[in-house]
Amino acid sequence: MKVAIIGAMDKEIERYLELYNPELVDDEKKIYVKDNIVIAGSGIGKVNSAMMTQYLIDRHNVDIIISSGCAGSLTNDLKVLDVIIPTTLTFDLSLYF
């Protein structure tokens, strides 16, 4: 199984690069690979994220995509640098059965 980790900004994938020490395989698209892990910088915005996701599916045959990084909020209860840990996950099992 091949896993892709996508972050919009360089800062959002920096720790993964330190952790896995992957090889840079595409300087223009900021794509790094090590074994079955692909790490990519997509650029900011949902369009850039969607384009990189499709590119990784088409060119790197990834099975799972993890989007990692920062996001905005529509509530005043959250402050800058708050860490949010989700309690639910959307997963399409039909892809595997």
Side-chain angles (χ1 to χ4, degrees):
M1 182 172 298
K2 200 175 224 184
V3 177
I5 302 171
I6 298 176
M9 300 182 295
D10 291 344
K11 187 76 173 166
E12 294 173 339
I13 63 170
E14 190 174 86
R15 182 66 181 122
Y16 297 108
L17 299 178
E18 293 169 3
L19 184 64
Y20 294 108
N21 195 28
E23 175 186 353
L24 177 64
V25 296
D26 188 330
D27 188 40
E28 181 182 342
K29 291 191 177 359
K30 299 179 186 171
I31 298 174
Y32 304 80
V33 176
K34 176 149 187 195
D35 301 325
N36 287 329
I37 298 172
V38 180
I39 301 169
S42 66
I44 297 171
K46 62 185 173 186
V47 173
N48 286 331
S49 179
M51 289 189 317
M52 179 58 74
T53 297
Q54 190 62 58
Y55 182 84
L56 294 175
I57 291 168
D58 293 342
R59 301 279 194 244
H60 291 273
N61 301 311
V62 298
D63 300 300
I64 294 176
I65 298 169
I66 299 169
S67 180
S68 177
C70 304
S73 171
L74 296 176
T75 176
N76 291 329
D77 295 337
L78 299 174
K79 307 292 183 257
V80 173
L81 298 178
D82 280 356
V83 175
I84 308 304
I85 300 172
T87 58
T88 60
L89 172 69
T90 303
F91 193 83
D92 187 355
L93 290 176
S94 68
L95 297 172
Y96 300 96
F97 299 101

